Amino acid sequence: ECEQLLKNGFGDFSNWMDYRDYAMIVLFLNCGMRLSELVGINVNDFSENIDPSQPNVVYISLKVVGKGNKERIVYLNEQCVDAIKKYKEIRATVVDVKQKALFVSKQGKRITNRRVEQIIDDRLRKCGLSGKGISVHKLRHTAATLMYQNGVDVRVLKEVLGHENLNTTQI
């Protein structure tokens, strides 16, 4: 269903909003972000990090503000970096450079939580996944499940998801 959403929910990327929507979904599915964390991302929240033991390896990280106004760092995989890069390139052609919000509406203002939910619902409908109970928060659960299934330790997963309590992560 994740592949179906990413492959069939976008068509031919005919406008800048396709790139925006794709980047949002990729972040949800790969990073397990909360809706409010995604909406709160600013263009300058990204950092490049070099591993001293591997100077040729560059990691891209993102600062997000989670529950309780707590900041945490999310590391982006190649799919996330690629989606954000493509979106930022096209975003620069349609959004005022003074706008600090990464994800913006047609009006060029920071996108709202409700609008993101509507976009996800629309993309689910386009690829034939509507009516299955999939929501933005379910995408967060999916990311956590995929990480766990691919060997991420539950204690590491707790930090990745920004949970206070390990029991929350285990659920």
Side-chain angles (χ1 to χ4, degrees), residues 107-124:
Q107 292 76 31
K109 307 238 186 284
R110 184 177 302 274
I111 201 164
T112 64
N113 288 13
R114 181 63 192 130
R115 183 65 189 125
V116 172
E117 291 170 334
Q118 291 168 337
I119 288 167
I120 300 301
D121 288 344
D122 183 52
R123 297 298 177 170
L124 289 166

Side-chain angles (χ1 to χ4, degrees), residues 34 140-141 144-145 147-148 152-171:
R34 293 177 176 96
R140 175 173 161 81
H141 283 253
T145 300
M147 286 182 230
Y148 183 73
V152 175
D153 183 85
V154 72
R155 288 174 292 280
V156 172
L157 195 52
K158 171 187 170 284
E159 298 303 319
V160 168
L161 295 172
H163 288 158
E164 284 287 317
N165 189 321
L166 186 60
N167 291 336
T168 305
T169 310
Q170 290 171 324
I171 291 169

